[in-house]
Amino acid sequence: FCGKSVCDLSDSSLSRIRGKDISFIFQDFALIEEETVLENIKTPLYFDKKVRFSKMNLLAETAAKKMGIEDLLHKKVCYL
């Protein structure tokens, strides 16, 4: 990975690489239909240890605004 072998890395080192440097692309949107758009945007933030819980709403709202979907934040995905 990035010119270095990952064969001998510890599980925690591999987890760090997966969490920081690798993303997942799903064939569908992989949204949680029972949750709101806001909660779906926040979900990946729960796995980032650098993001404080108190900042998650602001980060999610900022991302929604950049995508032009801020009016959908409080709607459940199953109703979109």
Side-chain angles (χ1 to χ4, degrees):
F1 181 75
C2 294
K4 297 180 182 176
S5 174
V6 295
C7 294
D8 297 323
L9 292 178
S10 67
D11 285 343
S12 62
S13 294
L14 291 171
S15 291
R16 231 181 344 271
I17 289 172
R18 283 191 295 271
K20 182 180 177 215
D21 299 313
I22 299 174
S23 297
F24 295 95
I25 299 174
F26 296 97
Q27 290 184 352
D28 61 13
F29 291 108
L31 299 173
I32 305 166
E33 291 195 15
E34 299 81 23
E35 296 293 342
T36 64
V37 171
L38 177 63
E39 290 299 324
N40 272 277
I41 294 172
K42 286 172 35 179
T43 297
L45 299 176
Y46 293 113
F47 300 100
D48 188 340
K49 293 179 182 178
K50 294 179 184 175
V51 177
R52 291 183 182 184
F53 187 77
S54 61
K55 299 288 183 188
M56 288 182 181
N57 276 354
L58 178 61
L59 290 170
E61 290 166 359
T62 301
K65 188 171 185 174
K66 287 180 181 180
M67 293 183 283
I69 60 169
E70 63 270 20
D71 58 319
L72 301 175
L73 280 175
H74 300 290
K75 293 188 183 238
K76 294 219 179 224
V77 171
C78 60
Y79 295 116
L80 297 177

